[in-house]
Amino acid sequence: MRHLLRAALVPLAVAPLLLAGCAAGGSGAASGDALVIYNAQHEQLTEEWAEAFTKDTGIDVVLRNGGDSELANQLVAEGSASPADVFLTENSPAMSLVEEAGLFAPVDEATLELVPEQYRPSTGAWTGIAARSTVLVYNPSLITEAELPASLMDLQRPEWKGRWGAAPSGADFQAIVSAVLATQGEEATSAWLDGMHENATIYRNNIATMKAVNAGEVPVGVIYHYYWYRDQDETAENSGNTKLHYFGNEDPGAFVSISGGGVLKSSKRAEEAQEFLAWLAGTEGQTILGEGYSFEYPVSSGVPAREPLPPLDSLGSPAIDPSTLNGPQVIDLMTEAGLL
């Protein structure tokens, strides 16, 4: 029996309301005469992409917005009857779930060639469209740089009890756990999650975690990089008392999560869907990402990240084939550890 991601499972009777979405890139475009994108990426970014794509190509786009796991589960439930043409995510475990269900059409080879191999799955069933780095946000008034953990795995040790925070219920953190699983194995991951249950203060999301570190509730927190850079670029109200630490050294804490894009095998507009994916991975789409508000990383060669982000290839991330990240197993392990 196929295993669904359970963290944000949406009852099918409710799902159509959640997926009502919004039209983008065309006045009054309806799903019958437009590309339908199941979108779990940031809505503002995807709206910018959709509007620019329509302006460039004349192809209307309809966005149906939701979370990574809820939309992945929806696609698996809908199967070949899905109205979706393209699926976009923030993290790759949701892409893997849809890939394992056999619902993706192969990405055009020319599109794959736009993205370096480390930022897309070896299967070619989908491709990376953006990236985000795991970081440790810390409050230097509570802890010195020399006292920071050498590895993400150290946070399971007794000396870190009550001294770090994270948001285990979110797809972001679950993707980080999937990297721990991929690099350390099941036994070590289970032990680490038990240590997290014992040691960590639980927060609602990345922003709440960062705010808690900024307020001095805990010395350190595990988040994705772009929340900190966005806040710094605005008022720094939620990050002004903090700094970032990059683990590097191919540590699980240096995991770079790949946001994915794929074309549904059942798409009635397969050619236009492939065109949209190629546009996202190409210079136009990646430049919008790299210059925009999100502070996420472009993944296509030659498109720089927004300053002052450190270069993506300087982060020392572990080499992980994103199609191997196992979301359902992560949910099981986190549930067993009492974190979900």
Side-chain angles (χ1 to χ4, degrees):
M1 183 175 180
R2 186 169 291 120
H3 199 338
L4 300 185
L5 291 176
R6 295 199 300 266
L9 186 60
V10 181
L12 296 185
V14 178
L17 298 177
L18 293 174
L19 300 182
C22 61
S27 59
S31 58
D33 56 7
L35 277 179
V36 176
I37 313 298
Y38 277 21
N39 175 52
Q41 248 292 347
H42 297 289
E43 292 181 25
Q44 180 178 332
L45 170 61
T46 311
E47 286 169 3
E48 291 176 3
W49 273 337
E51 289 171 5
F53 173 74
T54 298
K55 183 177 180 180
D56 284 354
T57 65
I59 299 170
D60 285 324
V61 172
V62 169
L63 302 179
R64 299 188 177 182
N65 299 310
D68 276 1
S69 54
E70 72 183 46
L71 291 183
N73 283 325
Q74 183 71 15
L75 283 167
V76 171
E78 291 172 344
S80 61
S82 177
D85 299 297
V86 176
F87 182 36
L88 305 180
T89 66
E90 291 187 348
N91 299 284
S92 53
M95 300 297 293
S96 296
L97 184 71
V98 177
E99 179 182 353
E100 289 167 7
L103 299 178
F104 282 135
V107 176
D108 287 348
E109 191 64 33
T111 302
L112 295 176
E113 291 175 358
L114 297 171
V115 180
E117 290 184 1
Q118 64 267 38
Y119 306 131
R120 54 181 168 85
S122 60
T123 59
W126 51 276
T127 187
I129 56 171
R132 60 273 299 278
S133 176
T134 310
V135 293
L136 196 73
V137 60
Y138 71 100
N139 189 321
S141 68
L142 300 178
I143 189 169
T144 68
E145 187 174 4
E147 294 172 319
L148 296 176
S151 168
L152 182 75
M153 304 304 290
D154 293 345
L155 293 174
Q156 67 186 297
R157 294 177 178 174
E159 59 264 33
W160 286 99
K161 184 176 177 61
R163 300 182 66 211
W164 69 286
S169 64
D172 286 353
F173 191 83
Q174 291 164 21
I176 295 169
V177 178
S178 75
V180 176
L181 179 61
T183 59
Q184 308 298 308
E186 182 175 344
E187 184 175 349
T189 302
S190 181
W192 187 79
L193 291 170
D194 288 341
M196 178 180 178
H197 182 265
E198 183 69 21
N199 293 345
T201 301
I202 303 306
Y203 295 100
R204 185 177 68 257
N205 53 37
N206 282 273
I207 294 174
T209 302
M210 181 175 67
K211 286 181 176 180
V213 176
N214 190 64
E217 294 179 19
V218 288
V220 305
V222 178
I223 63 172
Y224 280 150
H225 78 279
Y226 61 89
Y227 293 98
W228 189 87
Y229 281 99
R230 282 186 200 168
D231 193 66
Q232 289 280 306
D233 187 58
E234 296 172 354
T235 64
E237 178 183 0
N238 301 314
S239 64
N241 300 325
T242 69
K243 294 183 178 180
L244 289 189
H245 173 68
Y246 290 82
F247 285 103
N249 300 313
E250 299 187 2
D251 189 81
F255 169 62
V256 169
S257 183
I258 304 301
S259 300
V263 172
L264 278 301
K265 191 183 296 183
S266 57
S267 171
K268 303 298 191 295
R269 297 174 172 268
E271 185 174 341
E272 292 178 339
Q274 292 284 356
E275 184 177 352
F276 179 72
L277 196 60
W279 187 93
L280 286 187
T283 302
E284 296 90 343
Q286 293 290 287
T287 298
I288 288 172
L289 171 66
E291 295 179 351
Y293 86 102
S294 76
F295 278 97
E296 293 180 85
Y297 280 99
V299 293
S300 292
S301 299
V303 179
R306 182 172 174 180
E307 294 184 353
L309 291 178
L312 186 56
D313 61 8
S314 74
L315 301 182
S317 60
I320 301 173
D321 185 337
S323 68
T324 66
L325 296 176
N326 192 322
Q329 188 177 5
V330 163
I331 296 300
D332 286 344
L333 291 173
M334 294 182 74
T335 301
E336 290 169 8
L339 293 166
L340 296 176

